[in-house]
Amino acid sequence: MRLKGIYSGKSAFFQLFILLILISAGAILSSVLSAGLIFILYGSISHMMENPEALRLYQLFTATGTFFLPACITAWLCSNSPSAYLSLQLPSNPRVWGLTLISVFLLSPFITLTGLWNRHIRLPQSMEFIEKWIQEQELLAEQLTDVLLNDNGLLAFFFNMIIIAIIAAITEEFLFRGALQRILDKWLGNSHKVIWTVAFLFSAFHLQFYGFLPRLLLGAYFSYLLFWGKSIWLPIFAHFSNNAFAVFAMSSESLKENEYINGDIPANEMTTYILWAFGMLVLFCLCVKKLRSCLTEIAD
């Protein structure tokens, strides 16, 4: 039986349903397999979240099973050309990569600023139980990040780069920008609605309310990179660059204590930081204009 492209003629709603089924199955299966492997290697899974090596292994399996494989299988089932479905073609202009890297760096201060605003958002008193759950999720995410980044040594840094920067960028972008953006584009039609819907889902999927706005903006930028460049590798590279900056900064004792990097801006320096962030945002817009010009040259 020929499975390639078997659902290519189906509606976007049906393809989305297939993707959701694959995500659910992949999440369950990868969690079980990774837990089993960790038990074999370490003799227990009860302290998995305190063991950086076990946690990296768990993230590798779950990211692959929950994001990457469902996207690839959906592309195979829903298109006669899976590589085109996922926009796997590479941009030919080398300047595109440099401009993408610079744009992510220039956008970072404004992203940090939106994160500061996001932290001060509080839900109404009637939703106190939801806010408590949100705080618990934030604390858990912070603890897991600390376990990974506080694992000192060059080898630990190398593996953190692989898992947090490379694997996360590839797997998440294949799902959200590759498969989901393709399906929603078929469903909604309007590219800007699609981009912001995907960005919203991308941010919501992380279950970190106090980082929702900065992740929403980053997700939207990643989606626009795919929209402009027609290549999944551009948002992957931007996503990797953003995560790699964070891993590098948080792995360095000197950089980790810098307020402009960790986001703990003192009140007496907030005005300066806001001006700096908006100044960098202007440069980001100029950089994106140049990036789009290069992408247009490629298309022509």
Side-chain angles (χ1 to χ4, degrees), residues 39-110:
F39 181 80
I40 293 172
L41 293 175
Y42 301 102
S44 172
I45 61 172
S46 58
H47 299 293
M48 179 178 67
M49 297 307 177
E50 300 170 8
N51 183 336
E53 294 179 0
L55 189 54
R56 290 188 197 102
L57 187 62
Y58 180 80
Q59 289 190 322
L60 174 62
F61 269 76
T62 54
T64 302
T66 306
F67 302 131
F68 185 74
L69 290 180
C72 292
I73 296 172
T74 298
W76 184 268
L77 294 174
C78 297
S79 174
N80 292 311
S81 178
S83 60
Y85 188 94
L86 293 171
S87 304
L88 296 183
Q89 63 274 15
L90 279 167
S92 58
N93 191 335
R95 287 182 297 170
V96 165
W97 304 107
L99 289 168
T100 300
L101 177 66
I102 294 170
S103 70
V104 172
F105 175 75
L106 294 173
L107 184 59
S108 293
F110 185 75

Side-chain angles (χ1 to χ4, degrees), residues 259 264-274:
E259 295 91 347
D264 295 327
I265 312 299
N268 62 333
E269 294 185 23
M270 185 57 70
T271 300
T272 302
Y273 186 81
I274 291 174

Side-chain angles (χ1 to χ4, degrees), residues 129-144:
F129 69 99
I130 296 179
E131 184 150 22
K132 183 178 179 181
W133 176 82
I134 288 171
Q135 291 170 348
E136 290 172 352
Q137 294 301 310
E138 291 287 335
L139 181 60
L140 176 61
E142 185 177 330
Q143 290 172 342
L144 296 182

Side-chain angles (χ1 to χ4, degrees), residues 119-181:
R119 287 183 209 171
H120 291 87
I121 297 176
R122 290 294 178 267
L123 298 178
Q125 189 68 27
S126 59
M127 302 176 70
E128 184 179 359
F129 69 99
I130 296 179
E131 184 150 22
K132 183 178 179 181
W133 176 82
I134 288 171
Q135 291 170 348
E136 290 172 352
Q137 294 301 310
E138 291 287 335
L139 181 60
L140 176 61
E142 185 177 330
Q143 290 172 342
L144 296 182
T145 302
D146 288 342
V147 169
L148 292 175
L149 296 180
N150 289 335
D151 187 19
N152 297 321
L154 186 60
L155 192 61
F157 173 77
F158 174 74
F159 283 123
N160 282 339
M161 275 292 184
I162 291 176
I163 299 299
I164 299 175
I166 298 175
I167 299 299
I170 293 173
T171 57
E172 291 181 17
E173 292 307 310
F174 262 66
L175 176 65
F176 288 98
R177 253 57 66 175
L180 186 58
Q181 188 158 326

